[in-house]
Amino acid sequence: MARRAENRRNQHAFAAAFIAVAVVAVVAVGFTAITLQPAVASHDVDNATLGIGEVRNTVDDDQAFGLASDDSHVNRISDANSLAHTASRTIEVKDPDPVIVLSAYDTLNANTVAAAQALGTMNPLPTAPRILPDEDDGWSCGMASSYSFSDNDDGLGHFGTDATASGRALASNEITVAVPESQSNMLGRAVAIRYGETIVVATVTDTGGFEKYGRVLDLAPGCWKALGAAEITDWGVKPVYYKFL
């Protein structure tokens, strides 16, 4: 009986020792597993680099503006299109073409408008050279008289009328002109008139019997006003260059 009791004690002691060793082994393995986990370093994310792309360049503030660099300045992240890397460009600007500048034209006649715009402009570029038309390009020279409502007649000896050969009423500010009766086929045509450096483009709306006085045109009020005369007597009869367009 005594030997059986001793054997039991030995078995219990062995079991306790085995359990203790197993516990120590488990704890050691767990500790090792914990200590072998890779460490992850914590750091702040620099939002300045977000959305820039793969190509980035660190440019010092002073370097970007051509100054000496020192350690007191903080580098900034910028893309490849930073000021320090901007390529220079050369833009070639062509000089404006010379233009003929018009003082006025009849805006109520579509054909006259088109002819005037083909001849010149009323809104030239400030830097555009001004030129006068070539006198050899179909231009003629002659004497131009002037008339108004008070001395306009209807062809029957009645003065003080706005009647014209074309049916378009004579007006005080419209750019119109009369030609000799022999040139009635010109009614409705545009004619450019130059006096000095002033150029207007008028519409032929009337005819008159002034050819026998050596005159080539009779200017309606809007026309002689556009050429610089304030009153009909200021114009009188003057030499002009003219061209039918």
Side-chain angles (χ1 to χ4, degrees), residues 87-121:
S88 61
R89 294 182 299 170
T90 301
I91 300 176
E92 183 178 352
V93 179
K94 182 181 178 182
D95 292 334
D97 294 329
V99 294
I100 296 173
V101 180
L102 307 178
S103 295
Y105 58 83
D106 180 24
T107 59
L108 300 182
N109 186 291
N111 292 332
T112 302
V113 171
Q117 293 176 347
L119 176 64
T121 178

Side-chain angles (χ1 to χ4, degrees), residues 11 29 53 56 63 66 69 106 115 121 148 181 191 195 204 206 218 223 236 239:
Q11 291 176 355
V29 172
R56 292 192 293 272
Q63 291 175 349
S69 177
D106 180 24
T121 178
S148 63
E181 292 176 344
V191 57
Y195 176 67
V204 178
D206 205 0
D218 205 13
C223 193

Side-chain angles (χ1 to χ4, degrees), residues 21-36:
V21 172
V23 169
V24 171
V26 170
V27 172
V29 172
F31 178 79
T32 302
I34 293 173
T35 56
L36 292 179

Side-chain angles (χ1 to χ4, degrees), residues 55 57 78-87:
V55 180
N57 181 40
S78 63
D79 61 12
N81 294 322
S82 65
L83 291 177
H85 296 79
T86 301

Side-chain angles (χ1 to χ4, degrees), residues 127-216:
T127 56
R130 273 68 164 170
I131 60 172
L132 294 176
D134 183 1
E135 296 171 1
D136 295 329
D137 184 23
W139 290 77
S140 300
C141 184
M143 302 301 293
S145 56
S146 57
Y147 73 111
S148 63
F149 179 83
S150 61
D151 55 10
N152 181 47
D153 71 275
D154 60 1
L156 300 175
H158 303 114
F159 290 87
T161 177
D162 62 1
T164 66
S166 66
R168 177 174 167 178
L170 179 67
S172 61
N173 292 311
E174 294 174 11
I175 315 299
T176 60
V177 67
V179 295
E181 292 176 344
S182 63
Q183 293 181 298
S184 60
N185 61 303
M186 293 294 181
L187 288 171
R189 288 279 298 276
V191 57
I193 306 165
R194 178 170 77 84
Y195 176 67
E197 295 185 359
T198 303
I199 303 171
V200 300
V201 181
T203 301
V204 178
T205 59
D206 205 0
T207 61
F210 47 83
E211 187 175 13
K212 58 187 177 183
Y213 302 108
R215 303 169 189 170
V216 295

Side-chain angles (χ1 to χ4, degrees), residues 144-147 172-173 195 198 200 219-238:
S145 56
S146 57
Y147 73 111
S172 61
N173 292 311
Y195 176 67
T198 303
V200 300
L219 310 181
C223 193
W224 48 259
K225 288 178 184 178
L227 289 171
E231 301 289 340
I232 187 172
T233 54
D234 293 339
W235 179 264
V237 178
K238 296 183 183 298

